Amino acid sequence: MQTLSSDSSGAYSDEELIKHLPGFTNHYATVNGVRLHYADGGSGPALVCLPGWPQTWYSYHPIATQLAQRYRVILVDIRGMGSSEKPLAGYDKKTMAQDIYELLGHMGLEKASLLGHDIGGMVASSFAFNYPKATEKLIVADGAHPSEGMMQMPMLPAPGSFTRKMNGQYPYPWWMAFNQVKGLPEQLLAGRFEYLLDYLFGYVMLDESRMSAFDRALYASVYNQPESIRASNAWYQAFDQDIADARMYARLTMPVLGIGSHVSYHYLQMSLPSMAEQVEVIGILDSGHYLFEEKPDRVLEAVYNFLG
């Protein structure tokens, strides 16, 4: 099974990208039956960073080197992402959380804080639910554990709300449905994923210029492959199982921070108190969904204040 992008030896390879993050090194480990790539840098308390769709470990580059001045920062390509393996199964967030738990064991770490964005926030939440003793603190940025509320998402957008920019009061994440379809997205998007990326960044970011041309080309290179589209869509296709698993979880007792952009702040305000007992939700309302690119200083301030 191929696990690397089409440009695995070029400018977008792990070996080249790591040069953009002084002090970080690339590593690969087979845990829970899947081979994962991760980058490791800094020293201090462990902070595991989990990215979202449609990005990779490199999405943390606007904040990683600063975080590494205070923490040991571990940037992970989750199952199905980047140069991590893309098996045919195991994309429910409970299994993906087990991937991360076993990765920590492989690294000799008994406990860590987690920072997850988008799909990564879902995996980080599942980690906290399933491995509370291994979770110091939990931070989710624009993405928490799948819940029953997802079943209430509208098939059609609210009248007048579906414009060039995502409406923060009436968000319409149409890709939640599109990514449920098996087989067709690979046929439509393979080799032309940049069209989806450019539309998506324009739609969910307030300042899309903050997503650089290099970053856009990198993510297009990764997700242009049919197997990458298939694997990343599987994160969405597992939501039914994730919601069923959530019914069995007790509320989290460790401190939890939600960082919400203008499109997710209100959602986090509603969802996180039902997930956890110690919750703080911060809104960065002058940012779109890709907060690390748009408002890295604000994200760093929130993380520093929360982790201490």
Side-chain angles (χ1 to χ4, degrees), residues 182-203:
K182 294 185 178 181
L184 182 61
E186 295 94 307
Q187 293 177 301
L188 295 176
L189 295 173
R192 49 180 81 92
F193 207 85
E194 66 271 18
Y195 295 113
L196 174 59
L197 286 176
D198 285 342
Y199 176 89
L200 182 71
F201 295 146
Y203 181 53

Side-chain angles (χ1 to χ4, degrees), residues 7-19:
D7 192 33
S8 60
S9 62
Y12 311 129
S13 67
D14 296 333
E15 292 72 22
E16 288 299 317
L17 292 173
I18 204 70
K19 297 176 182 177

Side-chain angles (χ1 to χ4, degrees), residues 58-80:
Y58 192 70
S59 67
Y60 280 87
H61 76 84
I63 60 174
T65 54
Q66 295 93 325
L67 289 173
Q69 295 174 14
R70 304 190 184 194
Y71 315 106
R72 181 181 180 183
V73 178
I74 302 154
L75 314 173
V76 185
D77 273 331
I78 56 178
R79 176 186 295 244

Side-chain angles (χ1 to χ4, degrees), residues 168-181:
Q169 296 298 317
Y170 303 100
Y172 183 56
W174 54 265
W175 54 90
M176 293 279 192
F178 178 74
N179 289 352
Q180 297 293 324
V181 181

